[in-house]
Amino acid sequence: MINKLLQLVFLLAFSVTGTADAAVKTIVLDGSTTVGPVAKSFATYFTKKYGIRVTVSESGSGNGAKSLINGSCTIAAMSRAMKDAEIAAARKKGVNPVAHVIALDGLAMVVHPANPVRSLSKAQISSIYHGTITNWKDVGGANARIVVIQRESNSGTQDSFKELVTGKSMQITGGAETQSSNGAVKTRVSTTPSAIGFLGLGFVDSSVKLIAVNGVLPSVKTVKNGSYSVSRPLYLYTNGQPSGPVKQFIDLPNTVEGKAIISELGFVNR
Amino acid sequence: MNIGTRKILDRSFTAVGIGSIVVMALALMIVVVPIVYNGIGAVFFTGTVEHRKMLHAEFKRGDSQELSSEVASSNRYRAKIYDMLTGFEAELETMTPEKKAEYQAKYSQVRTALQALLGPLPGDPEPMLTRFKYGQTRWDKAEEKLHDLLFESKWDNSNPNVMSKEYFVSRAIGFEGTSLVRLFPYVKDNFENMLLPEFTFYWGFITDSSVDSHFFGGIWPEIQGTFFLAIGAMLFAFPLGVIAAVYFTEYAKPGFLNSMLRSANSTLAGVPSIVFGMFGLAFFINTMKVSESKSVIAGALTLAIMILPTIIRAAEEAILAVPKTYREASLSLGSTKWNTIATVILPAALPGILTGGVISLGRAAGETAPIIFTAAVSVGSAIGLADVFSSPTPALSWNIYNLASEHEAATQLRHVQYGMVLALVTIVLLLNLSAIVLRARISKKLKC
């Protein structure tokens, strides 16, 4: 019995020393599901190259900001800039959020491939999300009720969509369906012929069809040269200017390898 | 009631009973059969030479001599394709600009389809992401990709009043009159020679870490994380739960406080698990700061609070089921109350207490909501025992959700999702089975 107790004590002591070691060796990333693919691939690459463990949670931009403010993550991944209220809350807790733009991302409007509609204007999209246009035939499509899909309130993509397309103050129709990640929006749109949703450009594949906004189709080229207007930067936020391994991680988008990862994933290098 | 009616009623009740059992069994089959069938497909499948290349490069597994002869034989067949591509590229240069632009778009689609099938083509830059370094590793997926190469999906929107219908056009027709038209029948005929399908038993699915966010590799970090969380929760909840149950049954005096505590306990057992998750985040991480970020310890504590009420209830029932005569005999021999509890009542109640414990262990292993905010991450390597106080971990329940809904390639990774589901179901089943065995063995011991 005493032996076992001693073993336990040793085990605990060992664990505690282990903790002190691990604190430097782990980078904790939390936040946006849009930044998720980039963050995950960076993490894999970084761990392989430097032997420093990086964990990634995809819980939404809002959650990422909260985690950074509470000090429970090293880097917050966000698909929108921090809001004034969040910055104020951070300052209050002695956290100084510093933004680092890692890539650009087009906010792609997507429909089911069966939908004959090819192009919508921003005004039409706003009316669809406001609920004044409810049938595809009003925008040149088939006679089918539009299934409007939006993101949850925690989502940076949702905030960007409102800011870039509909305007911040517009009320989105109560009939809109809420999905909690880019992947979930894609699955819903690809299985519902009359649905419309919005996704980060990196998530688009052949299961959904891109819609041209104001006549311009989103692509790496049009986002980069600015002709596709519904685009936004993707951020990593740190507490204060980063140093050491965290800085190395933040600087990945400036390296050749980092740029290659970003473009292979379908995101846009700055 | 006469005997005839009674018989009819009796029979109809039997029929209803059997009927409901059949319906239940069918429902269970509908749920379990796809899980088992597809889940086993993650471990046993027809793998291609690309899979063996991947295993050798990422995990240093497989016979390198055999592999290089396989690669050489598959490259002999692939070389012809590459020649055709170079030939067509040369042909493109001789075309008029309009024609060239027209073919260029179609040609780049063909290249993409070939890359998906065979991996990077000669002249492509070495990809950074492992998912693009190899062709299709599974034969079933390769066949789908072959279809994508041979046929182009188009949408017929001739009727403007309804949604378009999908139809397939052979890509070969699009290249009629050029040298590339030979490529399509060639790929189709020599498909097996290029990919060398072979029945594969990939045990590494259980023991490997994932490569490039679950595109390749296995689910060991998730399995390990699940065990850490469930067992950690048990370490906290089991002793606490048994002590609380002893207090409730042996020491507490009936009264207002006692009945309040009991009903609080029953209420907690019915609280949705996401509430415990939020509580865990607010209390253990933000207030108590048990760890700097999400961690196994925070998750285990949250799960412990979630399963505590169940353990208390099970232990209480087990203690109350110990015959009064045991206690009276012990006390009449001059034993103290504590001694009676420790040496007579608890051992007799042990089978019941353990059953409750192991069933809660199964529940802790399967819960997603409490660990979302406190312990689970979507990417992270397997952690050592020393890291449980500081590191979060992937865990089966959360990663199944993440992979099925949030992952950028959720539809391509169905086999991994099913494999994880089967692993989780098996773990919970094994835990419950061990509870039954343990209980049987202990009650047998007690009887002799």
Side-chain angles (χ1 to χ4, degrees):
Chain A
M1 185 71 195
I2 288 180
N3 258 338
K4 274 195 182 156
L5 270 177
L6 273 179
Q7 273 177 9
L8 194 74
V9 170
F10 271 123
L11 194 71
L12 283 177
F14 170 64
S15 314
V16 171
T17 49
T19 322
D21 242 17
V24 217
K25 283 195 175 161
T26 312
I27 296 175
V28 181
L29 238 143
D30 196 356
S32 166
T33 68
T34 313
V35 188
V38 180
K40 285 190 287 185
S41 299
F42 275 9
T44 316
Y45 170 75
F46 198 75
T47 309
K48 215 171 176 180
K49 190 162 179 193
Y50 298 105
I52 294 168
R53 184 185 300 139
V54 185
T55 59
V56 179
S57 324
E58 296 154 283
S59 52
S61 296
N63 251 321
K66 280 189 198 107
S67 293
L68 191 75
I69 293 167
N70 286 322
S72 58
C73 71
T74 336
I75 302 172
M78 295 182 68
S79 59
R80 57 166 169 83
M82 264 203 191
K83 292 172 186 164
D84 292 342
E86 286 167 340
I87 291 176
R91 291 269 152 75
K92 228 183 197 169
K93 289 215 169 187
V95 174
N96 172 29
V98 178
H100 312 268
V101 175
I102 54 161
L104 302 177
D105 180 34
L107 198 59
M109 300 303 305
V110 290
V111 294
H112 192 271
N115 197 327
V117 173
R118 286 163 188 278
S119 177
L120 291 171
S121 69
K122 274 191 187 178
Q124 282 173 322
I125 298 172
S126 296
S127 309
I128 288 171
Y129 274 85
H130 189 53
T132 36
I133 294 180
T134 55
N135 198 307
W136 280 111
K137 70 171 193 274
D138 297 333
V139 288
N143 181 13
R145 196 179 63 85
I146 303 177
V147 177
V148 179
I149 293 168
Q150 63 166 346
R151 292 285 306 279
E152 82 283 11
S153 58
N154 185 30
S155 157
T157 307
Q158 172 88 353
D159 290 340
S160 304
F161 172 74
K162 282 180 124 177
E163 195 179 317
L164 294 165
V165 183
T166 64
K168 271 182 187 170
S169 55
M170 197 201 78
Q171 190 72 35
I172 285 182
T173 167
E177 207 180 289
T178 305
Q179 296 288 348
S180 62
S181 64
N182 282 293
V185 171
K186 183 166 82 177
T187 313
R188 185 75 173 102
V189 172
S190 67
T191 51
T192 314
S194 58
I196 182 167
F198 46 88
L199 287 180
L201 190 56
F203 283 84
V204 174
D205 61 22
S206 59
S207 67
V208 291
K209 188 174 103 174
L210 288 168
I211 289 278
V213 178
N214 289 350
V216 185
L217 267 176
S219 70
V220 171
K221 208 171 126 194
T222 53
V223 169
K224 198 161 187 170
N225 68 21
S227 57
Y228 184 72
S229 59
V230 194
S231 71
R232 71 253 164 96
L234 300 178
Y235 300 92
L236 293 182
Y237 274 87
T238 51
N239 177 10
Q241 283 298 339
S243 60
V246 182
K247 179 159 177 51
Q248 274 174 319
F249 189 90
I250 296 278
D251 284 342
L252 275 182
N254 302 329
T255 62
V256 180
E257 291 86 1
K259 282 193 196 308
I261 290 175
I262 289 174
S263 63
E264 276 174 30
L265 285 167
F267 289 90
V268 184
N269 273 302
R270 205 147 53 99
Chain B
M1 198 187 293
N2 70 29
I3 212 137
T5 0
R6 199 181 283 179
K7 254 187 186 162
I8 291 170
L9 277 177
D10 205 33
R11 282 204 187 125
S12 53
F13 180 75
T14 316
V16 169
I18 292 174
S20 54
I21 287 173
V22 168
V23 168
M24 211 176 70
L26 275 178
L28 201 65
M29 291 274 281
I30 290 170
V31 175
V32 170
V33 169
I35 291 180
V36 173
Y37 178 78
N38 292 306
I40 285 178
V43 183
F44 298 93
F45 56 93
T46 313
T48 65
V49 67
E50 295 294 322
H51 181 253
R52 300 189 280 280
K53 271 193 218 169
M54 184 277 293
L55 276 188
H56 191 260
E58 304 294 327
F59 297 103
K60 310 267 172 293
R61 216 175 280 148
D63 183 352
S64 45
Q65 243 175 2
E66 198 183 321
L67 179 70
S68 52
S69 79
E70 272 184 349
V71 170
S73 108
S74 102
N75 277 351
R76 268 201 299 282
Y77 290 97
R78 292 179 187 200
K80 271 204 176 159
I81 297 184
Y82 303 150
D83 287 345
M84 286 182 210
L85 294 182
T86 350
F88 182 71
E89 274 159 31
E91 198 179 330
L92 267 181
E93 295 307 316
T94 63
M95 289 177 190
T96 58
E98 303 85 59
K99 241 186 158 185
K100 187 177 163 186
E102 185 202 327
Y103 277 117
Q104 195 97 54
K106 283 194 247 169
Y107 177 61
S108 80
Q109 286 181 4
V110 171
R111 270 188 85 94
T112 316
L114 274 174
Q115 279 162 346
L117 208 55
L118 304 173
L121 305 172
D124 284 347
E126 168 81 351
M128 279 302 295
L129 297 169
T130 318
R131 69 188 77 162
F132 297 125
K133 281 186 187 162
Y134 306 98
Q136 286 305 311
T137 54
R138 295 169 67 95
W139 183 246
D140 49 346
K141 298 259 177 227
E143 280 176 325
E144 287 170 23
K145 295 287 174 191
L146 176 67
H147 186 266
D148 289 350
L149 172 69
L150 298 179
F151 300 96
E152 189 180 359
S153 141
K154 292 210 168 171
W155 295 88
D156 164 32
N157 53 6
S158 50
N159 183 351
N161 288 322
V162 294
M163 289 290 175
S164 316
K165 282 189 189 68
E166 190 173 20
Y167 64 100
F168 294 100
V169 190
S170 166
R171 280 192 206 271
I173 293 171
F175 287 95
E176 206 77 69
T178 68
S179 63
L180 203 68
V181 76
R182 287 180 297 132
L183 175 95
F184 302 96
Y186 178 82
V187 175
K188 200 180 171 193
D189 293 340
N190 296 293
F191 194 46
E192 281 197 28
N193 293 329
M194 286 187 292
L195 285 174
L196 305 170
E198 200 174 85
F199 178 74
T200 310
F201 167 37
Y202 180 44
W203 47 268
F205 185 74
I206 308 294
T207 57
D208 285 340
S209 292
S210 88
V211 175
D212 194 6
S213 39
H214 291 291
F215 271 87
F216 307 116
I219 57 169
W220 174 246
E222 283 78 15
I223 294 180
Q224 193 204 30
T226 303
F227 270 111
F228 276 173
L229 284 169
I231 290 170
M234 230 30 214
L235 285 180
F236 292 112
F238 193 71
L240 273 179
V242 175
I243 292 169
V246 168
Y247 172 78
F248 275 139
T249 49
E250 303 292 330
Y251 290 95
K253 298 199 171 57
F256 178 70
L257 184 71
N258 190 23
S259 66
M260 279 303 286
L261 280 177
R262 270 165 192 273
S263 56
N265 188 44
S266 315
T267 315
L268 271 186
V271 168
S273 50
I274 186 70
V275 177
F276 287 106
M278 297 306 294
F279 172 78
L281 172 69
F283 184 67
F284 290 122
I285 296 184
N286 289 346
T287 312
M288 295 264 291
K289 302 252 183 237
V290 293
S291 57
E292 287 200 351
S293 65
K294 293 177 180 183
S295 68
V296 175
I297 187 98
L301 283 167
T302 311
L303 285 171
I305 292 190
M306 185 194 73
I307 57 175
L308 196 56
T310 327
I311 293 184
I312 295 178
R313 289 292 289 273
E316 255 187 281
E317 299 295 326
I319 292 172
L320 287 175
V322 175
K324 236 183 176 167
T325 46
Y326 284 30
R327 184 173 327 201
E328 284 160 0
S330 170
L331 290 172
S332 69
L333 288 170
S335 173
T336 60
K337 189 171 184 182
W338 168 244
N339 204 20
T340 305
I341 293 170
T343 56
V344 177
I345 295 177
L346 279 185
L350 197 58
I353 297 177
L354 279 180
T355 315
V358 179
I359 287 173
S360 317
L361 188 63
R363 190 173 165 217
E367 275 291 347
T368 315
I371 60 171
I372 294 179
F373 302 115
T374 54
V377 287
S378 40
V379 151
S381 37
I383 59 169
L385 202 54
D387 295 328
V388 294
F389 294 95
S390 61
S391 287
T393 178
L396 283 172
S397 53
W398 159 251
N399 281 70
I400 290 167
Y401 168 74
N402 176 263
L403 216 56
S405 75
E406 291 182 351
H407 198 283
E408 64 268 26
T411 44
Q412 291 171 48
L413 299 174
R414 293 284 179 234
H415 58 284
V416 185
Q417 293 156 21
Y418 273 115
M420 280 190 185
V421 171
L422 183 62
L424 183 58
V425 170
T426 315
I427 288 173
V428 173
L429 197 70
L430 282 179
L431 285 175
N432 288 352
L433 266 183
S434 65
I436 294 169
V437 173
L438 205 66
R439 188 195 170 108
R441 282 184 63 174
I442 292 176
S443 0
K444 212 167 148 196
K445 237 189 209 164
L446 284 175
K447 269 181 194 141
C448 11

